[in-house]
Each structure stands twice: as structure tokens, then as C-alpha cells.
Amino acid sequence: MAHYQLSQKYPHSEFLQIQITFKNTQKSSPLSIRLPAWRPGRYQLGNFSKNIRNFKVIDTDGKPLNYIKKSRDNWHITSSEEIVIVNYEYYTAEIDGGSTYLDEEQWYINFINCLMYAENQLDEPCEVQLLVSDENIIACGLPSKGKILYAKNFYQLVDSPAIISKEIKHLQYVLNNITFHLWFKGDVQLATQEERIIEDFKSFTAEQLKMMGDFENESYHFLYQIPDTKAYHGVEHLNSTCIVLGPAKEFNTEAFYDNFLGISSHELFHYWNIIRIRPKEMVPYDFTKENYFTTGYVAEGVTTYYGDLFLIRSGVKDLNWYQNELNKLFKRHFENNGRFNYSVADSSLDLWIDGYEPGTPDRKVSIYVKGAIIALLLDMLIIKETNAKKSLDDVLRTLWSDFYKKGKGYSAADYLNVAETVIEHDLEGYKKDYIEGTAPVENILTQL
Ligand SMILES: [Zn+2]
């Protein structure tokens, strides 16, 4: 078991103090420890090790042990000791959906970017001891006892972010015996909105549970950071999501509320689509390097499509609102001349290069935008050709039962095969034109 102890030297410090106790199981060869090179949800290298200061390795008596740094985020420790202790400080000045951020009011921790692992112990249980005072509330998807969090392995640990603070606003609702928690860190007044939030969240959650028919956890946690500045960023996790949405002063406006619903519905659907129904290239995650995959149009495109769709299916929003959202989506697509130059499959592969920046003008498309449009197209094709007996819902449910439930990831070909089985004919044209090609989507969409 790896034991992690986290502390902050003084309340204003921007450094998280980390001490990790590793078993040194193979004394004949060096113990290889690593910091993840990227974080699931953002498919680009993170270079998190730039935030590390004062890296030291000692034995249980405090005697320094030898190590060498092998690469960007890999250290080799040579020792005959049973136990080695790694100490370092992690710099935490940035706040976004996937960062680790400390100030005098909170610890916001995405373990993926700040905790190291021993390469031969990824599947071993982990525990995280939080050295914070007793008044602190811990908002996290992991089981805990007092101020210790428990994970069955490193994968679970790093896919379970936490907010730790004396003041966190909290709402909750229960559906199908699952408790859904909403945790808010920031200057927001919930009072006037509480009932509406619960009612709307219950509605779209019920719709998602009904469609997928299966949920594997007893609880789910929406972790919101509501900063004073403008922000819009969400990241999906095992049984939680981190959402950064601002500015706080607009929290009670309708536009903010719509964004709040939209991003929350999107992130919740990731519980199924990508966290569990996952591209095979990322089963399991390889934290040491890029995990290239071409199916971003499923992971993010289909999720973007459904995130909004659930809001009208559940009656939380109306058709006018939905048409407006679709118009925004098309506008973003048609304003990008990259649609003539690069396919959505290639754009997915290239997430690792420039997926999260505008990049070279008109070079690529968005897996979110074009992905959602071709998900709509596929859904319409299936509904039309099966006389509404089937829909894209059936494709998602089959991916759940035939891939995730069987411990497998899916490939681009698997996704297409499942869709072909549902629609009962081949989809070679759809694949060539819209997934692997740059054919204009408007021609076929206007015919449907
Ligand atoms: Zn997403």
C-alpha cells in the first residue's frame, strides 16, 4: 500500500507538502516512481513536474537515499530498505477544472497532477491522510474515515478529486437509492435557487439513469468552484466531476443557470460515456505518455449532444432553447473553415498536439462541435430508418453492456459496428464522409 500524507506549512502557502511512503518490493532493481504525464479528461501532456520543489528521498530513520531523475516525471530510487519515503512540495497557484489549488480557505486537489506512484504498484490500495483541522469538510467521491481517504488502487485515487474546506455549501438529492451531492466553493447565494436546482437536477439525472439503466455507485459528487472571475470548465471523474464556473456575481442570472445545467448534465453523462464506456486505447490509462485515440467524436461529441438533449427530454428546458443551442453549435462549426481541411477522427488524434487551443487557423475541427453534430446526424438516421423503433440510445446501451460490462474498451470500428447493428445496414458512407472525411454535414442534415 502507498501512504500519502498531505499538509500545508502555513495557511497562505501555495505549496502542498507531500510525503509518500512506498514499499520497496524489488530491491534488486531500482524503485521507479512517476508523476502522471497527463490527466484523463485533458488529452495533452501536463508537465506537472514543473510544479515540484524540494524532492527528497529518505529511509524510515530520515537518512537520505540515492535516486536519479530519469526523465520529465520519472525517478529511480536505489535502496535495500523495505520502506522508502518520498518528500516534495507541489506548487498550486492555478485554478481550473483539473488543477490543484490551495489558499487560506480551501484545498482543491486533483490527485492526478500532484501524487506520484510506484510503477510496479499501480493496482495496490492507497490511502491519503489529510493534515487539516477537524472543522474541515471533505467533498470527495472516495470513501473516508476521519481525515483519511481510501482508494482501492492508484487509478481510483487519481480519478477522485477533492475539495477540503471549512465552508462548502451543500445540496443533495436521492434517486434510485443513489445520493447525488452538489458541493459549492465560492461566493454564491443558493437560498433562492435551492429548490429549483434540486428539481431540475433530479429531472435530468432521472432521464440519464432511465436511458442507461445502470449506475454502479451509491453516491455521485458535483464539485463546483465558483470563482469571482469568468470561467467555464468541467472535468469528468469516476463518481464525481469538477466544474469551475464563474463569475460568482452572475450565479443567479438565467444565462449562468443555463450554463450551470448544461455543463452539469454533460459531465454526469460522462459517468457512462468515457469514464466507463472508454476508447480501448485508454484501457487502462497509461499515465506515462500520450494515449492516442481517434474516437473523440464519441467521448466528447456524443456527450455534448446528449448533455443538452437530456435537458429537453426531462422538460428542464424547452424546444426553443434547444433549437437555440443547436444554432450555436452549427454557428461554431460553420465559422471554422477547418471543417474543409481535417476530419474529426484526425482532430481527435491531434488533441495531444493542440486540442485545447485555437492553434493554426482552419487546421482542424472540434471533437465537441463536429462530434455533437455527427452524433445528431447518426441519431436522426437511426430514428428515421428504424421508424423510431431505435435510436442512438441503443448504441450507447450496447457499448455499455457489450464493452464496458465485459471489461473492454471500444475501437472506432466497434462503435461503427454497434451502430450498424442497430440501424441494420452498413455505415461506410457515414464513416468515410463525416468521421474520416470532410464532407459537408449540412447537405444530408437538410434532407432528413
Ligand atoms: Zn466532456
Side-chain angles (χ1 to χ4, degrees):
M1 182 194 308
H3 178 87
Y4 298 84
Q5 182 187 286
L6 310 188
S7 60
Q8 187 182 20
K9 256 188 192 157
Y10 52 91
H12 296 91
S13 173
E14 290 176 312
F15 284 90
L16 181 65
Q17 311 289 320
I18 298 170
Q19 181 176 82
I20 314 174
T21 308
F22 288 115
K23 268 186 315 188
N24 188 19
T25 44
Q26 291 172 307
K27 293 185 210 73
S28 52
S29 52
L31 180 70
S32 173
I33 61 165
R34 285 185 174 274
L35 189 67
W38 61 284
R39 59 171 182 78
R42 194 166 187 101
Y43 307 102
Q44 64 177 192
L45 297 179
N47 288 321
F48 304 127
S49 57
K50 70 185 175 201
N51 297 318
I52 287 179
R53 190 174 80 173
N54 284 336
F55 180 89
K56 288 187 185 82
V57 189
I58 53 172
D59 67 12
T60 48
D61 297 324
K63 189 165 64 64
L65 298 176
N66 288 333
Y67 68 87
I68 33 173
K69 188 164 186 192
K70 297 292 282 185
S71 69
R72 179 182 55 217
D73 37 33
N74 183 210
W75 294 257
H76 280 189
I77 302 165
T78 309
S79 170
S80 57
E81 296 288 331
E82 293 278 332
I83 300 287
V84 302
I85 299 169
V86 173
N87 285 289
Y88 54 94
E89 299 177 301
Y90 191 84
Y91 185 53
T92 67
E94 231 177 286
I95 189 160
D96 65 35
S99 68
T100 288
Y101 173 80
L102 262 58
D103 63 20
E104 60 271 39
E105 286 189 11
Q106 67 163 325
W107 290 8
Y108 165 53
I109 306 183
N110 274 282
F111 299 111
I112 184 80
N113 52 44
C114 60
L115 296 190
M116 294 181 186
Y117 61 97
E119 227 170 335
N120 62 356
Q121 296 167 35
L122 270 164
D123 293 314
E124 301 253 322
C126 307
E127 59 179 43
V128 181
Q129 186 181 7
L130 305 163
L131 298 189
V132 290
S133 63
D134 287 343
E135 315 94 282
N136 279 277
I137 300 159
I138 300 170
C140 180
L142 288 174
S144 63
K145 204 178 200 180
K147 285 171 283 179
I148 300 181
L149 304 171
Y150 298 91
K152 63 177 193 288
N153 53 37
F154 188 75
Y155 297 104
Q156 186 191 11
L157 171 60
V158 297
D159 218 353
S160 305
I163 301 177
I164 299 134
S165 174
K166 288 173 193 156
E167 261 183 61
I168 311 181
K169 294 183 180 76
H170 179 230
L171 301 176
Q172 68 176 64
Y173 57 99
V174 179
L175 273 175
N176 300 5
N177 293 321
I178 308 152
T179 306
F180 292 84
H181 299 267
L182 286 77
W183 303 96
F184 297 89
K185 188 66 207 160
D187 189 15
V188 291
Q189 304 302 323
L190 293 176
T192 54
Q193 299 258 56
E194 268 183 33
E195 269 177 43
R196 180 189 184 198
I197 292 171
I198 295 290
E199 195 184 321
D200 289 346
F201 270 65
K202 260 189 173 171
S203 301
F204 75 70
T205 304
E207 205 59 45
Q208 299 200 12
L209 292 171
K210 189 174 86 186
M211 171 182 151
M212 294 308 294
D214 196 1
F215 193 91
E216 299 186 323
N217 293 79
E218 289 169 1
S219 64
Y220 183 89
H221 301 258
F222 293 93
L223 305 177
Y224 297 99
Q225 293 284 348
I226 313 290
D228 294 335
T229 49
K230 198 170 166 58
Y232 183 93
H233 188 201
V235 183
E236 61 278 9
H237 295 288
L238 265 183
N239 63 330
S240 62
T241 173
C242 281
I243 294 175
V244 183
L245 208 55
K249 68 174 191 301
E250 289 176 13
F251 189 82
N252 289 318
T253 65
E254 284 306 301
F256 193 105
Y257 189 72
D258 284 354
N259 277 340
F260 169 62
L261 288 177
I263 196 167
S264 303
S265 174
H266 174 109
E267 296 306 331
L268 179 60
F269 194 59
H270 273 312
Y271 177 91
W272 294 275
N273 190 26
I274 204 167
I275 292 295
R276 290 172 178 78
I277 299 171
R278 196 187 301 168
K280 75 173 179 35
E281 296 85 347
M282 290 193 285
V283 180
Y285 294 127
D286 180 345
F287 295 130
T288 67
K289 61 176 195 293
E290 296 89 339
N291 292 199
Y292 293 105
F293 66 111
T294 60
T295 48
Y297 51 91
V298 183
E300 288 300 350
V302 168
T303 303
T304 298
Y305 173 59
Y306 272 101
D308 285 349
L309 194 59
F310 284 122
L311 295 182
I312 49 162
R313 278 191 185 172
S314 58
V316 169
K317 301 301 295 181
D318 62 19
L319 209 54
N320 278 341
W321 170 86
Y322 187 62
Q323 279 166 349
N324 197 29
E325 289 305 299
L326 277 185
N327 283 340
K328 282 192 228 163
L329 201 66
F330 283 116
K331 187 166 178 284
R332 284 177 65 190
H333 183 61
F334 293 129
E335 280 173 358
N336 176 10
N337 288 326
R339 71 188 191 278
F340 301 119
N341 299 330
Y342 218 42
S343 74
V344 72
D346 287 339
S347 299
S348 174
L349 197 88
D350 280 4
L351 286 171
W352 295 92
I353 306 176
D354 62 354
Y356 302 91
E357 56 194 68
T360 302
D362 302 333
R363 188 184 89 78
K364 59 178 179 177
V365 291
S366 159
I367 57 163
Y368 295 83
V369 177
K370 185 171 178 189
I373 290 172
I374 67 167
L376 164 73
L377 170 59
L378 183 57
D379 199 14
M380 287 171 75
L381 286 170
I382 298 172
I383 291 169
K384 187 178 175 209
E385 292 178 28
T386 63
N387 291 320
K389 286 194 186 73
K390 296 277 171 71
S391 72
L392 193 57
D393 294 10
D394 296 281
V395 176
L396 270 294
R397 282 191 290 259
T398 307
L399 288 172
W400 176 264
S401 58
D402 292 6
F403 289 86
Y404 170 63
K405 281 298 200 181
K406 292 181 178 163
K408 294 188 290 188
Y410 67 88
S411 65
D414 293 329
Y415 175 66
L416 210 69
N417 284 341
V418 170
E420 286 172 340
T421 308
V422 169
I423 202 169
E424 293 181 22
H425 66 72
D426 84 68
L427 286 164
E428 274 305 305
Y430 175 84
K431 178 178 87 169
K432 282 214 181 76
D433 287 346
Y434 308 116
I435 295 176
E436 295 176 357
T438 57
V441 286
E442 56 274 28
N443 298 354
I444 182 166
L445 275 170
T446 47
Q447 289 164 25
L448 285 168

